[in-house]
Amino acid sequence: SQAPPGYRDGLALCVIDSIQSTGVTYSSVENVVSRYRSYRREQNGDPNRDGVPELLATFDELDGPHGWAQKIGNNNRTSTSGGVLKSQAIREAARVLNEAGIETAADLREAAQDEAQLARMGTAWCAVTGQRSGITWHYVQMLAGIPGVKPDRMVSRFVADSLGLSSTGVTPRFSLEILTAAAKDMNISP
């Protein structure tokens, strides 16, 4: 399968897409991305180059996650059982990057060269409500142009089927590690 084209110059869109993408049809993600782009163009901004500061500013302008969800996002939640609005998780994840000094997709690509820094940011990202599995953390990196794997249900199911294992026993972490190792052995990008 082809890697998603991502948003090499727009970390705001990487964050939005990664958090919105879990457990939904991709068209709903495209709708949110489209509304964000429209909102930012109305302000004479360049949504395709927005970084974390611009994304966080939209939350201030729209009175927080609830207002953001009404204007740009949707009412999707991080979990069907008591999760928070995905807009809240988007803001929390953007704050994690902001606190690490990551403002742009280029900053994230540069930070990815330092495994210790990347691991610290990953731990903080995974502490955001509903992001514990690490799927969105790996996906935001891919969308920013860092080679990797989004170890979601479909990838985990593929790994389980390929190895003749029960899909319930294959975790996102295992899928990520085995696919990364296989890619290394094959001398290709994960």
Side-chain angles (χ1 to χ4, degrees):
S1 87
Q2 194 63 29
Y7 314 93
R8 284 194 60 83
D9 299 319
L11 188 54
L13 294 174
C14 296
V15 173
I16 292 167
D17 189 315
S18 67
I19 304 275
Q20 285 287 158
S21 72
T22 54
V24 297
T25 59
Y26 197 69
S27 61
S28 78
V29 178
E30 291 171 325
N31 291 338
V32 174
V33 166
S34 176
R35 285 192 295 271
Y36 179 84
R37 283 182 163 138
S38 296
Y39 177 77
R40 290 289 293 132
R41 285 190 184 113
E42 287 166 14
Q43 301 177 307
N44 297 314
D46 182 354
N48 297 319
R49 301 192 71 81
D50 279 1
V52 167
E54 293 83 3
L55 175 57
L56 288 172
T58 64
F59 281 93
D60 294 338
E61 293 155 12
L62 297 169
D63 298 322
H66 185 75
W68 198 94
Q70 301 309 308
K71 176 80 178 173
I72 295 171
N74 51 34
N75 287 317
N76 289 355
R77 300 182 93 72
T78 57
S79 166
T80 51
S81 57
V84 299
L85 285 171
K86 285 189 176 184
S87 56
Q88 182 177 325
I90 289 168
R91 185 175 71 175
E92 286 179 43
R95 285 176 170 168
V96 163
L97 296 174
N98 195 49
E99 286 164 16
I102 305 299
E103 293 190 356
T104 66
D107 291 344
L108 184 58
R109 289 190 294 273
E110 189 176 318
Q113 305 303 309
D114 178 344
E115 282 187 34
Q117 183 183 8
L118 198 64
R120 282 191 303 275
M121 287 191 304
T123 299
W125 180 288
C126 292
V128 169
T129 308
Q131 310 314 305
R132 187 178 61 225
S133 73
I135 291 170
T136 61
W137 172 238
H138 294 290
Y139 193 40
V140 75
Q141 294 173 67
M142 286 173 61
L143 291 170
I146 299 164
V149 175
K150 179 188 177 194
D152 61 13
R153 283 182 297 230
M154 290 174 284
V155 169
S156 292
R157 196 176 309 128
F158 170 80
V159 168
D161 290 349
S162 299
L163 298 175
L165 299 171
S166 157
S167 60
T168 56
V170 175
T171 64
R173 179 176 299 282
F174 177 79
S175 297
L176 178 70
E177 289 173 359
I178 199 148
L179 286 170
T180 303
K184 189 174 181 185
D185 283 352
M186 296 168 72
N187 206 22
I188 59 173
S189 162

